[in-house]
Amino acid sequence: MSMRRFSLNQWTTKRWSVAEAIDGCVRHGVEAIGLWRQDVARQGLEQSAKLVRDAGLRVSSLCRGGFLTSGSPESLDDNRRAIDEAAALEAACLVMVVGGLPGVVPDEPLGGPGQGVDRDLAGARERVAEALAVLAPYAAERGVRLALEPLHPMYCADRAVLSTLGQALDLAEPYPAGQVGVVVDTFHVWWDPQVFDQIARAGDRIASYQVCDFLHPLPANVLLGRGVMGDGVIDFAPLTEAVTAAGYTGDIEVEIFNADVWAADPDEVLARVKARFGELVAR
Amino acid sequence: MSMRRFSLNQWTTKRWSVAEAIDGCVRHGVEAIGLWRQDVARQGLEQSAKLVRDAGLRVSSLCRGGFLTSGSPESLDDNRRAIDEAAALEAACLVMVVGGLPGVVPDEPLGGPGQGVDRDLAGARERVAEALAVLAPYAAERGVRLALEPLHPMYCADRAVLSTLGQALDLAEPYPAGQVGVVVDTFHVWWDPQVFDQIARAGDRIASYQVCDFLHPLPANVLLGRGVMGDGVIDFAPLTEAVTAAGYTGDIEVEIFNADVWAADPDEVLARVKARFGELVAR
């Protein structure tokens, strides 16, 4: 596999603005980038779109839409805006992190028993399907592909009630593959006994392949348990082979949330993750 | 459901010795207890067996055998001893936590990249199946039922490559249900989109039903993310109904690993978990 498919997810070098990350990509010979909405908003949407175009970069994904489990009109509106932004950036997909149980806020403690948490997991999952029925046509009209991302089950309560690739494929099934795809992120799926069957089943539904390692032990904030490839427990070769065998030919994003990585010099980080990508993913 | 099915897993009141926990059960009108090998060894196996017999308690489980992924003869020997202990205690089952990737030690950092970790997850799972083929007949000869426990996927690397109830049932399938069963532990399975189908599939393979809540946010040591029922995000009613509909009539263990619970007075803890059990599980 070619190193040309390496894509820098912007939050791997979280200190960099959109402009700085684009410069970094150019400096390191990286052809693709995954952007985040918050950073795009700070840079300005039009300017971000111009910067990536001028640099000749592909936008492998825009992170992220989702958080649909409340069923609120506001969350649909926000997702329509995310779709518009993905269209403006000509992103290959809009990554959808569907949200956790209503009333559970990432990084915030729960109230007391019964206070404000909606524990109806099946209901939350149903609302995601309902929201998708509204958003998929809107995205299709704008040429944007939604990419449903199953998250590791340890994030089921607070970030994504979508917990396995199989479940994501069930959810995507009513829609054409070009309209609703799925994300295969090694961190989230490596443990799944069904992952190879489900990657094969996914076929051309794979809209994004993201790589990073699963650290042991997990840090105090489990969101930051994503490590540079080789620093954790994941065997990348069989997963990459499976995604390739399924027909995926797109960019491969390195997306690392990690306090030490974020504290390091972004140029050093980019050089390091490129090297590890070469050893463990592109080999 | 009757409160008589409430069982105290000894590690919910971790400071109590076997003798103290048995006394506590008698004092609180609890009829069943789940024991741990380490504590039984400290009390003495014969004395532990005598104490539970004299108190008229049922031993709902012995925790735990397993850690079979290294494929070492020593691990098989240790499991034979665990089976003998379960027989001596007349435990309803021996809980099997199958172990993580070889070279990954719970609570200890990994070495550097490539140092000592065997990342072959499929191979580790295969060795569990091979060890089970040795141990299941040994257990059956001694009248001990093995109970395969799928652990939450966040423990896949260090504690159990058995990550879903479906996977546990696949592993158990070659054996009679009375010989190799499965554990349904709410903490480990609540997120699984297939959990209700798999509980129904399990039927009389359910050897143990364990309850505790899933806390949010998780504590720094994710092993201790187990909360008193009602303190976390799990909806117990549908899981309990499914286990009941599957035909399970055995004891229901409350098993909570939690620094605050362990720091509290064990009598207060037992009273509290009994009350919550009445409200959320036995109702």
mmCIF file of all heavy atoms in Angstrom, chain A residues 104-105 108 110 113 119 121 125 152-154 158 167 190-191 193-194 216 230 232-235, chain B residues 104-105 108 110 113 119 121 125 152-154 158 167 190-191 193-194 216 230 232-235:
data_model
loop_
_atom_site.group_PDB
_atom_site.id
_atom_site.type_symbol
_atom_site.label_atom_id
_atom_site.label_comp_id
_atom_site.label_asym_id
_atom_site.label_seq_id
_atom_site.Cartn_x
_atom_site.Cartn_y
_atom_site.Cartn_z
ATOM 1 N N VAL A 104 -26.449 11.915 29.806
ATOM 2 C CA VAL A 104 -25.072 11.556 30.175
ATOM 3 C C VAL A 104 -24.135 12.463 29.375
ATOM 4 O O VAL A 104 -24.148 12.439 28.145
ATOM 5 C CB VAL A 104 -24.757 10.079 29.868
ATOM 6 C CG1 VAL A 104 -23.320 9.750 30.273
ATOM 7 C CG2 VAL A 104 -25.739 9.164 30.593
ATOM 8 N N VAL A 105 -23.365 13.254 30.085
ATOM 9 C CA VAL A 105 -22.483 14.227 29.438
ATOM 10 C C VAL A 105 -21.034 13.738 29.568
ATOM 11 O O VAL A 105 -20.597 13.407 30.672
ATOM 12 C CB VAL A 105 -22.627 15.613 30.096
ATOM 13 C CG1 VAL A 105 -21.751 16.639 29.397
ATOM 14 C CG2 VAL A 105 -24.090 16.050 30.094
ATOM 15 N N GLU A 108 -18.505 14.597 32.569
ATOM 16 C CA GLU A 108 -19.212 15.160 33.719
ATOM 17 C C GLU A 108 -19.847 14.042 34.521
ATOM 18 O O GLU A 108 -20.376 13.095 33.952
ATOM 19 C CB GLU A 108 -20.301 16.135 33.257
ATOM 20 C CG GLU A 108 -19.734 17.466 32.818
ATOM 21 C CD GLU A 108 -20.826 18.472 32.464
ATOM 22 O OE1 GLU A 108 -21.966 18.314 32.946
ATOM 23 O OE2 GLU A 108 -20.526 19.401 31.703
ATOM 24 N N LEU A 110 -22.538 11.923 36.695
ATOM 25 C CA LEU A 110 -23.989 11.794 36.691
ATOM 26 C C LEU A 110 -24.556 12.492 37.915
ATOM 27 O O LEU A 110 -23.869 12.679 38.904
ATOM 28 C CB LEU A 110 -24.392 10.318 36.775
ATOM 29 C CG LEU A 110 -23.923 9.382 35.674
ATOM 30 C CD1 LEU A 110 -24.391 7.973 35.979
ATOM 31 C CD2 LEU A 110 -24.439 9.832 34.320
ATOM 32 N N PRO A 113 -29.020 8.862 41.670
ATOM 33 C CA PRO A 113 -29.829 7.825 41.024
ATOM 34 C C PRO A 113 -31.110 8.398 40.430
ATOM 35 O O PRO A 113 -31.823 9.136 41.096
ATOM 36 C CB PRO A 113 -30.142 6.869 42.176
ATOM 37 C CG PRO A 113 -29.064 7.089 43.177
ATOM 38 C CD PRO A 113 -28.672 8.528 43.047
ATOM 39 N N ARG A 119 -32.107 5.944 30.717
ATOM 40 C CA ARG A 119 -31.380 4.676 30.570
ATOM 41 C C ARG A 119 -31.940 3.776 29.468
ATOM 42 O O ARG A 119 -31.510 2.628 29.334
ATOM 43 C CB ARG A 119 -31.383 3.929 31.909
ATOM 44 C CG ARG A 119 -30.573 4.635 32.989
ATOM 45 C CD ARG A 119 -30.650 3.916 34.324
ATOM 46 N NE ARG A 119 -29.770 4.553 35.301
ATOM 47 C CZ ARG A 119 -30.042 5.677 35.945
ATOM 48 N NH1 ARG A 119 -31.164 6.303 35.697
ATOM 49 N NH2 ARG A 119 -29.180 6.190 36.812
ATOM 50 N N LEU A 121 -31.675 2.433 26.460
ATOM 51 C CA LEU A 121 -30.676 2.307 25.393
ATOM 52 C C LEU A 121 -31.328 1.971 24.055
ATOM 53 O O LEU A 121 -30.958 2.534 23.008
ATOM 54 C CB LEU A 121 -29.657 1.232 25.801
ATOM 55 C CG LEU A 121 -28.533 0.888 24.838
ATOM 56 C CD1 LEU A 121 -27.720 2.125 24.464
ATOM 57 C CD2 LEU A 121 -27.623 -0.181 25.453
ATOM 58 N N ARG A 125 -31.149 4.210 20.565
ATOM 59 C CA ARG A 125 -30.727 3.670 19.269
ATOM 60 C C ARG A 125 -31.808 3.893 18.211
ATOM 61 O O ARG A 125 -31.508 4.180 17.052
ATOM 62 C CB ARG A 125 -30.389 2.179 19.444
ATOM 63 C CG ARG A 125 -29.065 2.001 20.179
ATOM 64 C CD ARG A 125 -28.740 0.570 20.582
ATOM 65 N NE ARG A 125 -27.335 0.506 21.023
ATOM 66 C CZ ARG A 125 -26.810 -0.476 21.749
ATOM 67 N NH1 ARG A 125 -27.563 -1.509 22.124
ATOM 68 N NH2 ARG A 125 -25.534 -0.458 22.091
ATOM 69 N N HIS A 152 -15.978 2.345 20.517
ATOM 70 C CA HIS A 152 -15.707 1.304 21.512
ATOM 71 C C HIS A 152 -16.835 1.291 22.549
ATOM 72 O O HIS A 152 -17.286 2.357 22.985
ATOM 73 C CB HIS A 152 -14.365 1.579 22.187
ATOM 74 C CG HIS A 152 -13.856 0.415 22.974
ATOM 75 N ND1 HIS A 152 -14.394 0.041 24.176
ATOM 76 C CD2 HIS A 152 -12.882 -0.476 22.714
ATOM 77 C CE1 HIS A 152 -13.756 -1.023 24.633
ATOM 78 N NE2 HIS A 152 -12.833 -1.359 23.762
ATOM 79 N N PRO A 153 -17.274 0.092 22.961
ATOM 80 C CA PRO A 153 -18.384 0.011 23.918
ATOM 81 C C PRO A 153 -18.166 0.780 25.223
ATOM 82 O O PRO A 153 -19.127 1.088 25.910
ATOM 83 C CB PRO A 153 -18.500 -1.496 24.173
ATOM 84 C CG PRO A 153 -18.037 -2.122 22.898
ATOM 85 C CD PRO A 153 -16.917 -1.229 22.418
ATOM 86 N N MET A 154 -16.934 1.111 25.563
ATOM 87 C CA MET A 154 -16.746 1.875 26.804
ATOM 88 C C MET A 154 -17.271 3.307 26.671
ATOM 89 O O MET A 154 -17.383 4.013 27.670
ATOM 90 C CB MET A 154 -15.285 1.869 27.264
ATOM 91 C CG MET A 154 -14.330 2.603 26.406
ATOM 92 S SD MET A 154 -12.619 2.325 27.029
ATOM 93 C CE MET A 154 -11.689 2.901 25.601
ATOM 94 N N ASP A 158 -21.819 7.691 26.957
ATOM 95 C CA ASP A 158 -21.659 9.138 26.833
ATOM 96 C C ASP A 158 -21.400 9.652 25.421
ATOM 97 O O ASP A 158 -21.536 10.853 25.179
ATOM 98 C CB ASP A 158 -20.562 9.646 27.772
ATOM 99 C CG ASP A 158 -19.190 9.056 27.479
ATOM 100 O OD1 ASP A 158 -19.114 8.017 26.797
ATOM 101 O OD2 ASP A 158 -18.194 9.628 27.947
ATOM 102 N N GLN A 167 -23.615 -3.455 13.957
ATOM 103 C CA GLN A 167 -24.755 -2.591 14.260
ATOM 104 C C GLN A 167 -24.782 -1.380 13.311
ATOM 105 O O GLN A 167 -25.842 -0.967 12.837
ATOM 106 C CB GLN A 167 -24.605 -2.137 15.714
ATOM 107 C CG GLN A 167 -25.755 -1.359 16.305
ATOM 108 C CD GLN A 167 -25.353 -0.726 17.634
ATOM 109 O OE1 GLN A 167 -24.205 -0.844 18.077
ATOM 110 N NE2 GLN A 167 -26.297 -0.052 18.276
ATOM 111 N N TRP A 190 -11.080 -3.339 17.266
ATOM 112 C CA TRP A 190 -10.075 -4.409 17.252
ATOM 113 C C TRP A 190 -10.463 -5.625 18.084
ATOM 114 O O TRP A 190 -10.084 -6.758 17.767
ATOM 115 C CB TRP A 190 -8.725 -3.862 17.758
ATOM 116 C CG TRP A 190 -8.693 -3.624 19.231
ATOM 117 C CD1 TRP A 190 -9.175 -2.535 19.904
ATOM 118 C CD2 TRP A 190 -8.187 -4.516 20.241
ATOM 119 N NE1 TRP A 190 -8.991 -2.697 21.249
ATOM 120 C CE2 TRP A 190 -8.396 -3.890 21.498
ATOM 121 C CE3 TRP A 190 -7.573 -5.772 20.213
ATOM 122 C CZ2 TRP A 190 -8.015 -4.490 22.703
ATOM 123 C CZ3 TRP A 190 -7.200 -6.366 21.415
ATOM 124 C CH2 TRP A 190 -7.419 -5.724 22.637
ATOM 125 N N TRP A 191 -11.212 -5.426 19.157
ATOM 126 C CA TRP A 191 -11.576 -6.484 20.109
ATOM 127 C C TRP A 191 -12.730 -7.350 19.606
ATOM 128 O O TRP A 191 -12.981 -8.421 20.158
ATOM 129 C CB TRP A 191 -12.040 -5.821 21.416
ATOM 130 C CG TRP A 191 -13.217 -4.942 21.132
ATOM 131 C CD1 TRP A 191 -13.179 -3.617 20.761
ATOM 132 C CD2 TRP A 191 -14.575 -5.337 21.048
ATOM 133 N NE1 TRP A 191 -14.450 -3.170 20.469
ATOM 134 C CE2 TRP A 191 -15.318 -4.214 20.637
ATOM 135 C CE3 TRP A 191 -15.247 -6.541 21.285
ATOM 136 C CZ2 TRP A 191 -16.696 -4.246 20.454
ATOM 137 C CZ3 TRP A 191 -16.620 -6.582 21.095
ATOM 138 C CH2 TRP A 191 -17.336 -5.433 20.685
ATOM 139 N N PRO A 193 -15.103 -9.916 18.153
ATOM 140 C CA PRO A 193 -14.940 -11.248 17.554
ATOM 141 C C PRO A 193 -15.532 -11.334 16.145
ATOM 142 O O PRO A 193 -15.155 -12.211 15.386
ATOM 143 C CB PRO A 193 -15.707 -12.174 18.511
ATOM 144 C CG PRO A 193 -15.979 -11.388 19.728
ATOM 145 C CD PRO A 193 -15.852 -9.939 19.414
ATOM 146 N N GLN A 194 -16.437 -10.424 15.809
ATOM 147 C CA GLN A 194 -17.065 -10.459 14.481
ATOM 148 C C GLN A 194 -16.427 -9.475 13.500
ATOM 149 O O GLN A 194 -16.938 -9.293 12.388
ATOM 150 C CB GLN A 194 -18.563 -10.133 14.617
ATOM 151 C CG GLN A 194 -19.309 -11.123 15.505
ATOM 152 C CD GLN A 194 -20.785 -10.788 15.643
ATOM 153 O OE1 GLN A 194 -21.248 -9.733 15.224
ATOM 154 N NE2 GLN A 194 -21.531 -11.705 16.254
ATOM 155 N N HIS A 216 -2.481 0.384 26.847
ATOM 156 C CA HIS A 216 -2.675 -0.333 28.104
ATOM 157 C C HIS A 216 -1.596 0.098 29.080
ATOM 158 O O HIS A 216 -0.431 0.097 28.721
ATOM 159 C CB HIS A 216 -2.601 -1.848 27.910
ATOM 160 C CG HIS A 216 -2.578 -2.566 29.230
ATOM 161 N ND1 HIS A 216 -3.722 -2.822 29.926
ATOM 162 C CD2 HIS A 216 -1.551 -3.000 30.005
ATOM 163 C CE1 HIS A 216 -3.409 -3.406 31.062
ATOM 164 N NE2 HIS A 216 -2.107 -3.524 31.144
ATOM 165 N N GLY A 230 1.748 0.938 17.310
ATOM 166 C CA GLY A 230 2.926 0.264 17.846
ATOM 167 C C GLY A 230 3.091 0.471 19.336
ATOM 168 O O GLY A 230 3.817 -0.282 19.987
ATOM 169 N N GLY A 232 0.624 0.269 21.495
ATOM 170 C CA GLY A 232 -0.431 -0.419 22.229
ATOM 171 C C GLY A 232 -0.522 -1.883 21.860
ATOM 172 O O GLY A 232 0.497 -2.533 21.618
ATOM 173 N N VAL A 233 -1.735 -2.392 21.830
ATOM 174 C CA VAL A 233 -1.950 -3.838 21.764
ATOM 175 C C VAL A 233 -2.521 -4.317 20.421
ATOM 176 O O VAL A 233 -2.746 -5.513 20.241
ATOM 177 C CB VAL A 233 -2.894 -4.288 22.895
ATOM 178 C CG1 VAL A 233 -2.292 -3.948 24.254
ATOM 179 C CG2 VAL A 233 -4.284 -3.675 22.754
ATOM 180 N N ILE A 234 -2.747 -3.402 19.495
ATOM 181 C CA ILE A 234 -3.439 -3.797 18.256
ATOM 182 C C ILE A 234 -2.472 -4.351 17.218
ATOM 183 O O ILE A 234 -1.391 -3.805 16.982
ATOM 184 C CB ILE A 234 -4.220 -2.597 17.665
ATOM 185 C CG1 ILE A 234 -5.332 -2.162 18.627
ATOM 186 C CG2 ILE A 234 -4.799 -2.960 16.286
ATOM 187 C CD1 ILE A 234 -6.117 -0.942 18.174
ATOM 188 N N ASP A 235 -2.902 -5.432 16.572
ATOM 189 C CA ASP A 235 -2.196 -6.001 15.426
ATOM 190 C C ASP A 235 -2.832 -5.394 14.167
ATOM 191 O O ASP A 235 -3.959 -5.747 13.808
ATOM 192 C CB ASP A 235 -2.380 -7.521 15.460
ATOM 193 C CG ASP A 235 -1.558 -8.233 14.400
ATOM 194 O OD1 ASP A 235 -0.743 -7.577 13.727
ATOM 195 O OD2 ASP A 235 -1.739 -9.455 14.250
ATOM 196 N N VAL B 104 0.473 -8.905 28.351
ATOM 197 C CA VAL B 104 -0.208 -7.720 28.874
ATOM 198 C C VAL B 104 -0.658 -8.039 30.298
ATOM 199 O O VAL B 104 -1.426 -8.964 30.525
ATOM 200 C CB VAL B 104 -1.428 -7.331 28.021
ATOM 201 C CG1 VAL B 104 -2.103 -6.085 28.596
ATOM 202 C CG2 VAL B 104 -1.007 -7.089 26.576
ATOM 203 N N VAL B 105 -0.134 -7.273 31.247
ATOM 204 C CA VAL B 105 -0.414 -7.521 32.657
ATOM 205 C C VAL B 105 -1.356 -6.433 33.173
ATOM 206 O O VAL B 105 -1.080 -5.248 32.982
ATOM 207 C CB VAL B 105 0.898 -7.508 33.490
ATOM 208 C CG1 VAL B 105 0.603 -7.805 34.954
ATOM 209 C CG2 VAL B 105 1.892 -8.492 32.897
ATOM 210 N N GLU B 108 -0.268 -2.943 34.790
ATOM 211 C CA GLU B 108 1.150 -2.655 34.545
ATOM 212 C C GLU B 108 1.319 -2.098 33.142
ATOM 213 O O GLU B 108 0.684 -2.558 32.200
ATOM 214 C CB GLU B 108 1.994 -3.931 34.682
ATOM 215 C CG GLU B 108 2.224 -4.305 36.132
ATOM 216 C CD GLU B 108 3.171 -5.493 36.261
ATOM 217 O OE1 GLU B 108 3.969 -5.758 35.327
ATOM 218 O OE2 GLU B 108 3.106 -6.161 37.304
ATOM 219 N N LEU B 110 2.799 -1.420 29.425
ATOM 220 C CA LEU B 110 3.453 -2.243 28.417
ATOM 221 C C LEU B 110 4.919 -1.875 28.361
ATOM 222 O O LEU B 110 5.324 -0.778 28.733
ATOM 223 C CB LEU B 110 2.848 -1.983 27.042
ATOM 224 C CG LEU B 110 1.358 -2.266 26.860
ATOM 225 C CD1 LEU B 110 0.947 -1.885 25.439
ATOM 226 C CD2 LEU B 110 1.052 -3.723 27.123
ATOM 227 N N PRO B 113 7.415 -0.620 22.072
ATOM 228 C CA PRO B 113 6.801 -1.268 20.912
ATOM 229 C C PRO B 113 7.420 -2.644 20.655
ATOM 230 O O PRO B 113 8.641 -2.788 20.633
ATOM 231 C CB PRO B 113 7.121 -0.304 19.770
ATOM 232 C CG PRO B 113 7.320 1.012 20.430
ATOM 233 C CD PRO B 113 7.900 0.717 21.777
ATOM 234 N N ARG B 119 0.383 -9.847 20.145
ATOM 235 C CA ARG B 119 -0.815 -9.154 19.664
ATOM 236 C C ARG B 119 -1.753 -10.048 18.848
ATOM 237 O O ARG B 119 -2.729 -9.555 18.284
ATOM 238 C CB ARG B 119 -0.413 -7.935 18.831
ATOM 239 C CG ARG B 119 0.259 -6.840 19.647
ATOM 240 C CD ARG B 119 0.726 -5.682 18.796
ATOM 241 N NE ARG B 119 1.241 -4.603 19.623
ATOM 242 C CZ ARG B 119 2.445 -4.599 20.190
ATOM 243 N NH1 ARG B 119 3.257 -5.637 20.009
ATOM 244 N NH2 ARG B 119 2.833 -3.571 20.931
ATOM 245 N N LEU B 121 -4.561 -11.772 18.617
ATOM 246 C CA LEU B 121 -5.810 -11.951 19.366
ATOM 247 C C LEU B 121 -6.507 -13.252 18.975
ATOM 248 O O LEU B 121 -7.015 -13.982 19.845
ATOM 249 C CB LEU B 121 -6.705 -10.727 19.115
ATOM 250 C CG LEU B 121 -8.079 -10.695 19.757
ATOM 251 C CD1 LEU B 121 -8.006 -10.846 21.272
ATOM 252 C CD2 LEU B 121 -8.793 -9.378 19.398
ATOM 253 N N ARG B 125 -7.455 -16.421 21.459
ATOM 254 C CA ARG B 125 -8.806 -16.987 21.586
ATOM 255 C C ARG B 125 -8.787 -18.487 21.292
ATOM 256 O O ARG B 125 -9.501 -19.262 21.928
ATOM 257 C CB ARG B 125 -9.759 -16.235 20.645
ATOM 258 C CG ARG B 125 -10.067 -14.843 21.192
ATOM 259 C CD ARG B 125 -10.809 -13.926 20.248
ATOM 260 N NE ARG B 125 -11.302 -12.745 20.985
ATOM 261 C CZ ARG B 125 -11.706 -11.616 20.435
ATOM 262 N NH1 ARG B 125 -11.684 -11.467 19.116
ATOM 263 N NH2 ARG B 125 -12.146 -10.615 21.181
ATOM 264 N N HIS B 152 -16.334 -6.962 29.555
ATOM 265 C CA HIS B 152 -16.462 -5.759 28.735
ATOM 266 C C HIS B 152 -15.237 -5.628 27.816
ATOM 267 O O HIS B 152 -14.102 -5.866 28.268
ATOM 268 C CB HIS B 152 -16.562 -4.537 29.646
ATOM 269 C CG HIS B 152 -17.009 -3.303 28.938
ATOM 270 N ND1 HIS B 152 -16.191 -2.598 28.082
ATOM 271 C CD2 HIS B 152 -18.199 -2.662 28.916
ATOM 272 C CE1 HIS B 152 -16.861 -1.571 27.591
ATOM 273 N NE2 HIS B 152 -18.074 -1.583 28.082
ATOM 274 N N PRO B 153 -15.462 -5.232 26.566
ATOM 275 C CA PRO B 153 -14.339 -5.133 25.615
ATOM 276 C C PRO B 153 -13.188 -4.238 26.072
ATOM 277 O O PRO B 153 -12.078 -4.381 25.561
ATOM 278 C CB PRO B 153 -15.014 -4.569 24.357
ATOM 279 C CG PRO B 153 -16.421 -5.083 24.444
ATOM 280 C CD PRO B 153 -16.764 -5.044 25.902
ATOM 281 N N MET B 154 -13.404 -3.369 27.025
ATOM 282 C CA MET B 154 -12.270 -2.542 27.475
ATOM 283 C C MET B 154 -11.247 -3.364 28.256
ATOM 284 O O MET B 154 -10.141 -2.898 28.506
ATOM 285 C CB MET B 154 -12.742 -1.334 28.291
ATOM 286 C CG MET B 154 -13.325 -1.622 29.621
ATOM 287 S SD MET B 154 -13.969 -0.059 30.350
ATOM 288 C CE MET B 154 -14.999 -0.733 31.650
ATOM 289 N N ASP B 158 -6.147 -7.101 28.643
ATOM 290 C CA ASP B 158 -5.457 -7.526 29.865
ATOM 291 C C ASP B 158 -6.174 -8.586 30.696
ATOM 292 O O ASP B 158 -5.548 -9.202 31.564
ATOM 293 C CB ASP B 158 -5.132 -6.315 30.760
ATOM 294 C CG ASP B 158 -6.369 -5.564 31.233
ATOM 295 O OD1 ASP B 158 -7.454 -5.748 30.640
ATOM 296 O OD2 ASP B 158 -6.253 -4.783 32.198
ATOM 297 N N GLN B 167 -19.964 -14.745 21.744
ATOM 298 C CA GLN B 167 -18.677 -15.432 21.629
ATOM 299 C C GLN B 167 -18.546 -16.505 22.710
ATOM 300 O O GLN B 167 -18.053 -17.616 22.450
ATOM 301 C CB GLN B 167 -17.577 -14.372 21.758
ATOM 302 C CG GLN B 167 -16.168 -14.838 21.510
ATOM 303 C CD GLN B 167 -15.160 -13.786 21.974
ATOM 304 O OE1 GLN B 167 -15.538 -12.743 22.521
ATOM 305 N NE2 GLN B 167 -13.887 -14.058 21.751
ATOM 306 N N TRP B 190 -24.205 -4.876 28.999
ATOM 307 C CA TRP B 190 -25.367 -3.987 28.832
ATOM 308 C C TRP B 190 -25.368 -3.235 27.505
ATOM 309 O O TRP B 190 -26.423 -2.901 26.970
ATOM 310 C CB TRP B 190 -25.427 -2.970 29.988
ATOM 311 C CG TRP B 190 -24.372 -1.905 29.890
ATOM 312 C CD1 TRP B 190 -23.074 -2.007 30.271
ATOM 313 C CD2 TRP B 190 -24.520 -0.586 29.341
ATOM 314 N NE1 TRP B 190 -22.400 -0.838 30.004
ATOM 315 C CE2 TRP B 190 -23.275 0.048 29.432
ATOM 316 C CE3 TRP B 190 -25.590 0.116 28.776
ATOM 317 C CZ2 TRP B 190 -23.051 1.349 28.977
ATOM 318 C CZ3 TRP B 190 -25.374 1.418 28.321
ATOM 319 C CH2 TRP B 190 -24.113 2.021 28.430
ATOM 320 N N TRP B 191 -24.200 -2.943 26.968
ATOM 321 C CA TRP B 191 -24.048 -2.132 25.762
ATOM 322 C C TRP B 191 -24.282 -2.945 24.481
ATOM 323 O O TRP B 191 -24.399 -2.349 23.395
ATOM 324 C CB TRP B 191 -22.603 -1.605 25.710
ATOM 325 C CG TRP B 191 -21.654 -2.780 25.695
ATOM 326 C CD1 TRP B 191 -21.114 -3.404 26.785
ATOM 327 C CD2 TRP B 191 -21.248 -3.542 24.563
ATOM 328 N NE1 TRP B 191 -20.391 -4.503 26.388
ATOM 329 C CE2 TRP B 191 -20.447 -4.604 25.029
ATOM 330 C CE3 TRP B 191 -21.472 -3.401 23.196
ATOM 331 C CZ2 TRP B 191 -19.882 -5.543 24.181
ATOM 332 C CZ3 TRP B 191 -20.907 -4.342 22.337
ATOM 333 C CH2 TRP B 191 -20.119 -5.406 22.847
ATOM 334 N N PRO B 193 -25.495 -4.686 21.360
ATOM 335 C CA PRO B 193 -26.745 -4.657 20.580
ATOM 336 C C PRO B 193 -27.373 -6.042 20.427
ATOM 337 O O PRO B 193 -28.555 -6.151 20.154
ATOM 338 C CB PRO B 193 -26.314 -4.113 19.210
ATOM 339 C CG PRO B 193 -24.931 -3.595 19.382
ATOM 340 C CD PRO B 193 -24.341 -4.190 20.619
ATOM 341 N N GLN B 194 -26.579 -7.101 20.605
ATOM 342 C CA GLN B 194 -27.106 -8.457 20.449
ATOM 343 C C GLN B 194 -27.468 -9.101 21.794
ATOM 344 O O GLN B 194 -27.783 -10.298 21.834
ATOM 345 C CB GLN B 194 -26.070 -9.325 19.727
ATOM 346 C CG GLN B 194 -25.739 -8.818 18.334
ATOM 347 C CD GLN B 194 -24.690 -9.668 17.631
ATOM 348 O OE1 GLN B 194 -24.106 -10.583 18.210
ATOM 349 N NE2 GLN B 194 -24.435 -9.356 16.361
ATOM 350 N N HIS B 216 -20.388 6.336 35.242
ATOM 351 C CA HIS B 216 -19.928 7.380 34.336
ATOM 352 C C HIS B 216 -19.619 8.616 35.143
ATOM 353 O O HIS B 216 -20.465 9.036 35.940
ATOM 354 C CB HIS B 216 -20.975 7.703 33.271
ATOM 355 C CG HIS B 216 -20.591 8.930 32.491
ATOM 356 N ND1 HIS B 216 -19.721 8.845 31.432
ATOM 357 C CD2 HIS B 216 -20.886 10.236 32.663
ATOM 358 C CE1 HIS B 216 -19.520 10.087 30.975
ATOM 359 N NE2 HIS B 216 -20.207 10.929 31.699
ATOM 360 N N GLY B 230 -28.208 1.490 40.234
ATOM 361 C CA GLY B 230 -28.864 2.788 40.355
ATOM 362 C C GLY B 230 -27.898 3.949 40.314
ATOM 363 O O GLY B 230 -28.303 5.085 40.069
ATOM 364 N N GLY B 232 -25.387 4.182 38.191
ATOM 365 C CA GLY B 232 -24.801 4.312 36.858
ATOM 366 C C GLY B 232 -25.848 4.400 35.771
ATOM 367 O O GLY B 232 -26.910 4.997 35.983
ATOM 368 N N VAL B 233 -25.564 3.804 34.639
ATOM 369 C CA VAL B 233 -26.359 4.046 33.431
ATOM 370 C C VAL B 233 -27.189 2.843 32.983
ATOM 371 O O VAL B 233 -27.885 2.914 31.976
ATOM 372 C CB VAL B 233 -25.438 4.470 32.272
ATOM 373 C CG1 VAL B 233 -24.682 5.757 32.622
ATOM 374 C CG2 VAL B 233 -24.459 3.354 31.897
ATOM 375 N N ILE B 234 -27.111 1.730 33.719
ATOM 376 C CA ILE B 234 -27.766 0.509 33.243
ATOM 377 C C ILE B 234 -29.236 0.453 33.643
ATOM 378 O O ILE B 234 -29.598 0.749 34.777
ATOM 379 C CB ILE B 234 -27.026 -0.741 33.776
ATOM 380 C CG1 ILE B 234 -25.608 -0.794 33.203
ATOM 381 C CG2 ILE B 234 -27.789 -2.019 33.409
ATOM 382 C CD1 ILE B 234 -24.766 -1.955 33.724
ATOM 383 N N ASP B 235 -30.047 0.034 32.690
ATOM 384 C CA ASP B 235 -31.463 -0.249 32.926
ATOM 385 C C ASP B 235 -31.563 -1.745 33.235
ATOM 386 O O ASP B 235 -31.416 -2.586 32.341
ATOM 387 C CB ASP B 235 -32.239 0.109 31.646
ATOM 388 C CG ASP B 235 -33.741 0.006 31.842
ATOM 389 O OD1 ASP B 235 -34.198 -0.218 32.982
ATOM 390 O OD2 ASP B 235 -34.466 0.162 30.838
#
